[in-house]
Amino acid sequence: GIQVEQSPPDLILQEGANSTLRCNFSDSVNNLQWFHQNPWGQLINLFYIPSGTKQNGRLSATTVATERYSLLYISSSQTTDSGVYFCAVGTGTYKYIFGTGTRLKVLA
Amino acid sequence: SAVISQKPSRDICQRGTSLTIQCQVDSQVTMMFWYRQQPGQSLTLIATANQGSEATYESGFVIDKFPISRPNLTFSTLTVSNMSPEDSSIYLCSAHIYTEAFFGQGTRLTVV
C-alpha cells in the first residue's frame, strides 16, 4: 500500500520563527489534506490541497503531485501552533492514509 | 464543511467489557470512517461504515472486535468489544464532504 512519510518527526521553535514541514508519499494520489491535532486530540482541517499552492493567514501549503510531496509552511509561529501536524493522502477509494506526523513545540 | 459530534468524549472501562461510541454528522454524507490512534502514534483506518450494508474492515481489524452500525446517512456507531488495555486509544469518526475529510473530536478510551 501507499506509504506516507513526514519530516522532521519532531521540531522545537522559538515563538516568531518560521518552519517547513514535509510530506512524501510513495504513489499517485487524488486527495491530500493537512491537519493540526491540538493537545486535546482534536483534528483541525488546515488545507485540502491535492495540487498547487494555498495560503491561509500565517500558514501556506504547496503540493507537487508529480514529484509526490507536499510542504506546509508556518510563519511567525505562536505557542498555539504547538501540537502534531499530519498529512493524509487519498486514493481513488476515498480512504485517507495518514502520515507519520510532525510533533511541533513552540516555546514562548 | 461538516460538524461531527462524538460521544462519549472520554471513558475509563474495565477489561472484558464493551463500549459503544456514537458519531453524529450535521448533514447527510455518503462516506463515514472510523480511525484508531494509539498513544503517540498516527491514525490508522479501522473500517468504512457503509449505509445499509456491512462495514468494510481494513487488514488487522475484524467485525467481532469492532462491530459498526450505519443505520442512516448521518449516524454511525463503533463498538470496542471485550476490551483489553491494548485497546486504550483515541477513536475518531470521520465524514467526507465531497472528497474532503472532517473529524469528530475523538473518544479517548482507557482500559484498566
Side-chain angles (χ1 to χ4, degrees), chain A residues 33 37 45 48 94-96 99, chain B residues 35 37 42 58 96 99 101:
Chain A
Q33 290 186 238
Q37 188 170 40
N45 287 42
Y48 172 76
Y94 299 106
K95 296 185 295 186
Y96 273 89
Chain B
Y35 288 81
Q37 186 178 26
S42 184
E58 297 300 305
H96 286 194
T99 54

Side-chain angles (χ1 to χ4, degrees), chain A:
Chain A
I2 192 168
Q3 304 297 314
V4 186
E5 296 289 332
Q6 292 183 240
S7 60
D10 296 280
L11 187 58
I12 300 175
L13 299 174
Q14 286 296 136
E15 201 167 28
N18 302 328
S19 62
T20 301
L21 282 57
R22 188 176 180 102
C23 171
N24 291 331
F25 40 96
S26 62
D27 204 347
S28 299
V29 299
N30 296 326
N31 304 296
L32 189 146
Q33 290 186 238
W34 282 96
F35 296 91
H36 174 214
Q37 188 170 40
N38 64 24
W40 296 271
Q42 173 114 38
L43 277 172
I44 311 293
N45 287 42
L46 297 178
F47 294 102
Y48 172 76
I49 186 165
S51 64
T53 298
K54 290 186 177 180
Q55 180 159 5
N56 184 4
R58 297 181 296 105
L59 302 181
S60 64
T62 295
T63 297
V64 184
T66 53
E67 297 187 21
R68 299 180 185 170
Y69 73 88
S70 184
L71 302 174
L72 177 69
Y73 306 96
I74 305 174
S75 65
S76 304
S77 58
Q78 302 175 356
T79 56
T80 52
D81 294 332
S82 296
V84 184
Y85 289 80
F86 290 105
C87 73
V89 301
T91 64
T93 59
Y94 299 106
K95 296 185 295 186
Y96 273 89
I97 306 301
F98 275 72
T100 49
T102 292
R103 188 173 302 271
L104 173 64
K105 184 164 188 175
V106 181
L107 305 176

Side-chain angles (χ1 to χ4, degrees), chain B residues 27-64:
Chain B
S27 59
Q28 292 187 341
V29 293
T30 304
M31 311 295 289
M32 290 184 73
F33 303 88
W34 288 96
Y35 288 81
R36 180 177 74 181
Q37 186 178 26
Q38 295 177 299
Q41 303 296 312
S42 184
L43 280 74
T44 301
L45 181 64
I46 297 172
T48 303
N50 301 309
Q51 195 268 326
S53 64
E54 197 169 277
T56 304
Y57 290 84
E58 297 300 305
S59 176
F61 297 95
V62 294
I63 187 171
D64 290 346

